[in-house]
Amino acid sequence: MAHAYFTAGKHDDPAVFDLFFRRNPFGGEFTVCAGISEALSFVENYRWTEDDIDFVAERMALRNEAFKHWLSGLDCSRIRVYAIREGDIVFPRVPVLRVEGPLGICQLLESTLLNLIGYASLVATNAARLRLAAGEGRSIVEFGLRRAQGPDGAMSAARYSYLGGAAGTSNVLAGQVFDIPTVGTQAHAYISAFTGLENIPRRNLVDIDGTERDFVATVFRFRDQFGFTSTHDGELAAFITYALAFPGNFLALVDTYDTVRSGLPNALCVSLALWEFGYRPTGIRLDSGDLSHLSRHARSLFRSAAQKTGIDLPPIVIVASNELNESTIRSLNEQGHEIDIFGVGTHLVTCAGDPSLGVVYKLVQISGRPRIKISEEPAKVTIPGRKNAYRLYGEEGYPLLDVMLGEREDPPGPSQRILCCHPYQRARRSWVTPSQVEPIHHLMWDGRLAGPVPTLAESREFCRTQINRLRGDHLRQLNPTPYKVSLSEPLFNFMHDLWEREAAVGELR
Amino acid sequence: MAHAYFTAGKHDDPAVFDLFFRRNPFGGEFTVCAGISEALSFVENYRWTEDDIDFVAERMALRNEAFKHWLSGLDCSRIRVYAIREGDIVFPRVPVLRVEGPLGICQLLESTLLNLIGYASLVATNAARLRLAAGEGRSIVEFGLRRAQGPDGAMSAARYSYLGGAAGTSNVLAGQVFDIPTVGTQAHAYISAFTGLENIPRRNLVDIDGTERDFVATVFRFRDQFGFTSTHDGELAAFITYALAFPGNFLALVDTYDTVRSGLPNALCVSLALWEFGYRPTGIRLDSGDLSHLSRHARSLFRSAAQKTGIDLPPIVIVASNELNESTIRSLNEQGHEIDIFGVGTHLVTCAGDPSLGVVYKLVQISGRPRIKISEEPAKVTIPGRKNAYRLYGEEGYPLLDVMLGEREDPPGPSQRILCCHPYQRARRSWVTPSQVEPIHHLMWDGRLAGPVPTLAESREFCRTQINRLRGDHLRQLNPTPYKVSLSEPLFNFMHDLWEREAAVGELR
């Protein structure tokens, strides 16, 4: 395309592209905007090497030296990018990015920008929804390295899951590169590697006061006290060894043999012994079975053991995993459970419920002339021209709707009445008198970075704030209320006039 | 885990891990093995830098200097990897990889190996299924860059789609890095950027004999001849410009305004003009509407135009895209169509029909002792011990089944009768006298690469060969016949004895 534009002498025509999507994912009514800082970094570093040019010229049999020369000097110094802030909430048809500048370079950015924004926003939204499903005081962590599209797919998943609300990741490299809390415990292989009590390497552990004492004897004292005689010795050896390696961070995977008859009793004895040595035992992980029942059983077992022994054991952290998704978490909430942390892998990183966000990149203006992409499906018709978008807030502080206006219209203001029109249905419109008006887009690239780029932690915090500002009915899982995205009356009229002019009148015989 | 093994002095215990999956994806009965060469490259380059060690030590509050020293010297020089050849067909429970060596290092490889094999095999299988759905003489190409998990997810998608049978990719970088054919045409933005005939940059084109002639006049001669007066001028300008830029490679996106009344007539006139100038016009792309009807309409329009004008226009290539997947392609086949190339994006790279392959990595032997992972779900019980797998072929040349044997058993041989047992159901077994026996696993890493690693093109060719060797009923989409994976009788008995010993007897009150 760039070569054809160049051949036509159109590569420098001033163009405006909108990057947007038409439908919120996961049956919801909101989307988290993510991938902005990566998109800016891509724009900042956009260059063609000699190798790149030679490769493309050879593959496409291009002998146009002027075009190759143009490519060799190409960068993004002549474009502008307006974007929604990373972590903000974004709704269908409101541009996530508006890219302005010479047609050729704007076109070349298309696929990569779509790639960088699409999955990032999708997985951030998924994480935000999972966090909402888990509820206050509970958290979700990203466990999906093994199910991602290669190692770098996993890095993207960890980064944007954290942005959307995950509390941590099991991906240690992502923790290192993006400064995300890392979480994890044993796998079943760890437990299976211990075949019996002979695998315990040593008996002693230094307690919190610095005294070395017989830890194994303490564990067995509790085991005898409770009469846990039929638990699996290999599993107990694995737990004791893990406690010796991580006395301050003990988290036991309890389902390798039998959660109720072996895993939980073994974990309890080791936890009590750690507590007696002055360490705060962390908890257990459930990875199979009835998570509702087992978590309640675990909580009550540890509580009653504390009562029985008179030991003031603090509440353990109960982690659950095993193909969890939004529906299973909500179902667990209905059944009642004692889970503190949900480890979500496959369903978080693959976004199995809706594995793609249909972001598109459409030309909306060329050489000052607004363009419309028409379609037999009305919902696929694009909103033409360079336009500005605002979020209007009501008296109660909630956002009421987003409205787009043509670039030459005056922006809406607080206490000013504005007619907001549904983009496709003439009869659906409403007067709005906002208490507060916020511009949705911000100039982020103007030949160079237009301001500081927020850190991941800042965007994460902003995301949480923006979600909390939304009215609850937009957030709920079942039949959420659609959030309105509208056009000013002048933009509505302009769009529909252009649509009518561009669309051929059909003729059936 | 590695630290706990180290604390227990178990990190050097000889271990055997199997990497496998339990279910074929997409409701099918076969899986393409992929990711092997990347896995070997990972093993070859496995090292801990000082930064890595410091990061982990700080995050996990590790003060164990001996462990840190051990990490700093760690590599894969003491492990062995047996694997299925990349591109071969693999079935549930047969290990894709067997990793043998000291427990600590084998354990550390787990997550990354799962990551590298899982998605690669999933997307290669998806591409293979799509190619089968498209049928002989037709092809599929990967169009999914914009829907992948970040830029590197897209690279994995392109690489393994090609391995599984895609004919090319729209991802130019993947074409460059992996030497994959690149395919592509205009986007709608390209067409929209041309507003009218005034956008045509010049009239002349050099014909195949080197003479510069008026190309635009030739296009308009055909337009007049056919009476195509109501087609969109901007679209025609876009096509003419594209033809001027790529006279030998013209492929027109015909659905921007109206496929039947504008796109196809415009493309036809430009194609005929190119043919008259001595170029072979490539074809058209349909991206919306009824692809069955439109492709047949396009074929017949071009054919009848050739007859009407007496021009011997060669058949055009018809490319179709628009959220295609295996089911829509099979539905198109039923309706009848004239599509030559299916461009598949979202559904290929996200594997939306089944977005993860549940690969697992299980300890099957430690210090010479076979281990079993039991579960309340029988199908999740692992097959213990170090074992060898063979593919047995019947008289007609088709593979009959795969069979696993304990490492001390003699391998099966041609014309030797062997009892092959279902892994979980004692009553399901069968005598097999194979005509041919092939070992499934090959030693690929023995402290260093054990042999040359096949190229992507070689693995792709091998994949096609191996799929063609399978009996057709294993390949079909609806209710395919399961391919049998079995155990030798001694391995079956050993597994079930161990299972019985490890599983606690329940007691209900």
Side-chain angles (χ1 to χ4, degrees), chain A residues 230-425:
Chain A
S230 61
T231 67
H232 197 285
D233 285 348
E235 184 184 58
L236 184 58
F239 288 174
I240 289 173
T241 306
Y242 203 81
L244 293 172
F246 296 105
N249 200 15
F250 176 73
L251 206 154
L253 175 65
V254 293
D255 74 328
T256 305
Y257 300 105
D258 188 305
T259 303
V260 171
R261 277 175 294 166
S262 183
L264 288 173
N266 280 337
L268 174 65
C269 295
V270 175
S271 295
L272 289 167
L274 280 170
W275 185 246
E276 201 173 292
F277 273 60
Y279 296 101
R280 188 187 181 94
T282 308
I284 59 157
R285 174 160 76 105
L286 302 166
D287 190 43
S288 60
D290 181 333
L291 300 175
S292 161
H293 165 72
L294 292 174
S295 66
R296 285 180 281 136
H297 177 79
R299 186 72 75 203
S300 111
L301 177 75
F302 276 71
R303 268 198 198 126
S304 71
Q307 282 171 352
K308 212 176 284 178
T309 54
I311 293 174
D312 188 23
L313 193 71
I316 54 161
V317 172
I318 300 179
V319 182
S321 51
N322 191 19
E323 297 294 316
L324 294 175
N325 60 28
E326 203 178 326
S327 297
T328 51
I329 291 173
R330 291 193 189 269
S331 163
L332 284 166
N333 293 346
E334 281 167 21
Q335 297 164 63
H337 66 81
E338 290 284 340
I339 297 161
D340 302 294
I341 298 176
F342 297 96
V344 192
T346 307
H347 291 272
L348 177 47
V349 311
T350 68
C351 298
D354 210 353
S356 66
L357 180 66
V359 281
V360 295
Y361 187 80
K362 296 289 176 191
L363 180 74
V364 295
Q365 188 164 298
I366 182 83
S367 303
R369 292 179 62 169
R371 304 298 293 152
I372 192 167
K373 160 76 182 81
I374 58 178
S375 169
E376 288 181 27
E377 293 172 57
K380 281 193 159 185
V381 174
T382 60
I383 299 162
R386 186 175 186 276
K387 48 206 171 283
N388 295 310
Y390 301 88
R391 187 156 295 167
L392 309 188
Y393 290 80
E395 289 171 351
E396 293 175 11
Y398 294 117
L400 294 172
L401 50 70
D402 288 1
V403 61
M404 289 183 267
L405 289 79
E407 61 174 329
R408 290 192 193 82
E409 295 181 62
D410 290 331
S415 312
Q416 290 175 18
R417 201 152 158 261
I418 177 173
L419 186 62
C420 295
C421 308
H422 186 283
Y424 300 101
Q425 293 165 31

Side-chain angles (χ1 to χ4, degrees), chain A residues 1 3-5 7-10 17 38 51-52 55-56 59-60 62 103 107 110-112 114-116 118-119 145-154 156-157 172-173 175-176 179-182 185-195 198-199 201-202 232 241-242 244-246 249 255-258 261 322 346 349-350 352 355-363 366 369 371-374 380 502 504-507, chain B residues 1 3-5 7-10 17 38 51-52 55-56 59-60 62 103 107 110-112 114-116 118-119 145-154 156-157 172 175-176 179-182 185-195 198-199 201-202 232 241-242 244-246 249 255-258 261 322 346 349-350 352 355-363 366 369 371-374 376 380 502 504-507:
Chain A
M1 276 192 271
H3 179 232
Y5 288 140
T7 305
K10 285 184 73 66
F17 284 85
E38 269 198 284
D51 277 355
D52 295 338
F55 172 76
V56 168
R59 270 286 165 102
M60 308 196 72
L62 293 181
L103 178 60
Q107 183 72 70
E110 171 169 354
S111 292
T112 309
L114 290 170
N115 172 288
L116 291 171
Y119 178 68
L145 166 56
R146 62 188 57 191
R147 298 288 178 255
Q149 293 177 3
D152 295 289
S156 299
V172 180
L173 184 62
Q176 185 176 8
D179 194 20
I180 302 174
T182 40
T185 175
Q186 313 109 10
H188 293 115
Y190 176 83
I191 309 294
S192 308
F194 292 79
T195 48
E198 70 281 7
N199 290 136
R202 59 170 205 263
H232 197 285
T241 306
Y242 203 81
L244 293 172
F246 296 105
N249 200 15
D255 74 328
T256 305
Y257 300 105
D258 188 305
R261 277 175 294 166
N322 191 19
T346 307
V349 311
T350 68
S356 66
L357 180 66
V359 281
V360 295
Y361 187 80
K362 296 289 176 191
L363 180 74
I366 182 83
R369 292 179 62 169
R371 304 298 293 152
I372 192 167
K373 160 76 182 81
I374 58 178
K380 281 193 159 185
E502 288 279 352
V505 179
E507 184 164 350
Chain B
M1 277 192 271
H3 178 232
Y5 288 141
T7 306
K10 285 183 73 66
F17 283 85
E38 270 198 283
D51 277 356
D52 296 338
F55 172 77
V56 167
R59 273 284 165 103
M60 308 197 72
L62 293 180
L103 177 60
Q107 183 72 71
E110 171 170 353
S111 293
T112 309
L114 290 170
N115 172 287
L116 292 170
Y119 178 68
L145 165 57
R146 60 189 55 192
R147 299 287 178 255
Q149 292 177 2
D152 296 289
S156 299
V172 180
Q176 186 177 8
D179 194 21
I180 302 174
T182 42
T185 175
Q186 312 109 8
H188 293 115
Y190 176 82
I191 310 294
S192 308
F194 292 79
T195 49
E198 70 281 7
N199 289 138
R202 59 169 205 265
H232 197 285
T241 306
Y242 204 82
L244 293 172
F246 297 105
N249 199 14
D255 74 328
T256 305
Y257 299 105
D258 188 307
R261 277 175 295 164
N322 191 20
T346 307
V349 310
T350 68
S356 66
L357 181 66
V359 281
V360 295
Y361 187 81
K362 295 291 177 191
L363 180 74
I366 182 83
R369 292 178 63 169
R371 304 298 292 151
I372 192 168
K373 161 75 182 80
I374 58 177
E376 287 180 26
K380 282 192 160 188
E502 289 279 353
V505 179
E507 185 165 348

Side-chain angles (χ1 to χ4, degrees), chain A residues 38-255:
Chain A
E38 269 198 284
L40 293 173
S41 171
F42 166 64
V43 163
E44 188 169 18
N45 295 294
Y46 191 87
R47 300 286 185 287
W48 284 72
T49 66
E50 286 303 308
D51 277 355
D52 295 338
I53 295 169
D54 290 346
F55 172 76
V56 168
E58 192 227 309
R59 270 286 165 102
M60 308 196 72
L62 293 181
R63 275 169 225 92
N64 185 334
E65 290 305 319
F67 177 65
K68 288 158 75 173
H69 179 74
W70 175 76
L71 280 181
S72 73
L74 200 64
D75 64 23
C76 291
S77 58
R78 295 168 66 204
I79 73 163
R80 281 184 176 187
V81 179
Y82 293 80
I84 298 185
R85 280 176 292 183
E86 186 139 22
D88 202 348
I89 306 308
V90 54
F91 300 98
R93 290 191 192 86
V94 176
V96 178
L97 298 180
R98 183 173 75 228
V99 179
E100 306 178 357
L103 178 60
I105 174 70
C106 289
Q107 183 72 70
L108 283 165
L109 303 177
E110 171 169 354
S111 292
T112 309
L113 289 178
L114 290 170
N115 172 288
L116 291 171
I117 300 294
Y119 178 68
S121 299
L122 183 70
V123 75
T125 306
N126 200 7
R129 296 182 63 85
L130 286 160
R131 181 183 70 79
L132 289 170
E136 279 306 309
R138 282 161 180 148
S139 56
I140 63 142
V141 292
E142 183 269 310
F143 273 7
L145 166 56
R146 62 188 57 191
R147 298 288 178 255
Q149 293 177 3
D152 295 289
M155 293 294 278
S156 299
R159 177 177 184 168
Y160 295 109
S161 293
Y162 184 62
L163 189 151
T169 177
S170 64
N171 183 334
V172 180
L173 184 62
Q176 185 176 8
V177 172
F178 303 126
D179 194 20
I180 302 174
T182 40
V183 284
T185 175
Q186 313 109 10
H188 293 115
Y190 176 83
I191 309 294
S192 308
F194 292 79
T195 48
L197 296 171
E198 70 281 7
N199 290 136
I200 298 173
R202 59 170 205 263
R203 303 190 64 84
N204 286 0
L205 176 66
V206 177
D207 71 18
I208 205 80
D209 298 323
T211 312
E212 191 170 325
R213 294 196 276 142
D214 190 332
F215 181 73
V216 175
T218 312
V219 173
F220 278 85
R221 203 186 73 226
F222 287 115
R223 196 192 203 196
D224 291 344
Q225 183 175 346
F226 291 110
F228 294 150
T229 50
S230 61
T231 67
H232 197 285
D233 285 348
E235 184 184 58
L236 184 58
F239 288 174
I240 289 173
T241 306
Y242 203 81
L244 293 172
F246 296 105
N249 200 15
F250 176 73
L251 206 154
L253 175 65
V254 293
D255 74 328

